[in-house]
Amino acid sequence: MDQEQILSRIASMVDDERTLRESLASGAIDEATERARLDQLERELDRCWDLLRQRRAKAEFGENPDEARVRPAAEVENYRS
């Protein structure tokens, strides 16, 4: 995925998140359904942001950004600052 594709995917997931919250508010879904889907979206968003950061870092240091790879959610989720 290139940078524009990643950003497009992020925007789509943010829209999905907004729709989920609206569905909960309208009573179309229950809290458990919303929470499960939001958890999944959050993991995927983290992976997309991680990939985008990898690509930008590689480009900044003269490396090929296409060599950046999507990492497993468990790896991305367990980063420490």
Side-chain angles (χ1 to χ4, degrees), residues 1-16 41 44-45 48-49 52 56:
M1 254 192 285
D2 67 22
Q3 182 167 314
E4 292 307 313
Q5 291 170 316
I6 297 167
L7 289 170
S8 175
R9 179 72 180 123
I10 289 169
S12 174
M13 286 187 284
V14 169
D15 288 342
D16 289 348
L41 277 172
E44 283 304 307
L45 275 167
C48 283
W49 283 116
L52 188 59
R56 288 177 174 171

Side-chain angles (χ1 to χ4, degrees), residues 34-49:
E34 181 211 30
R35 182 76 266 157
R37 182 67 178 122
L38 282 175
D39 287 346
Q40 184 181 24
L41 277 172
E42 288 170 3
R43 283 191 301 277
E44 283 304 307
L45 275 167
D46 286 347
R47 292 176 77 202
C48 283
W49 283 116

Side-chain angles (χ1 to χ4, degrees), residues 53-66:
R53 282 189 297 271
Q54 285 181 63
R55 289 185 60 84
R56 288 177 174 171
K58 285 185 177 293
E60 181 179 345
F61 292 99
E63 297 177 27
N64 182 354
D66 292 333

Side-chain angles (χ1 to χ4, degrees), residues 43-44 46-47 50 54 69-79:
R43 283 191 301 277
E44 283 304 307
D46 286 347
R47 292 176 77 202
D50 176 66
Q54 285 181 63
R69 297 288 174 247
V70 177
R71 294 188 252 216
E75 182 178 342
V76 174
E77 295 293 311
N78 290 319
Y79 286 151

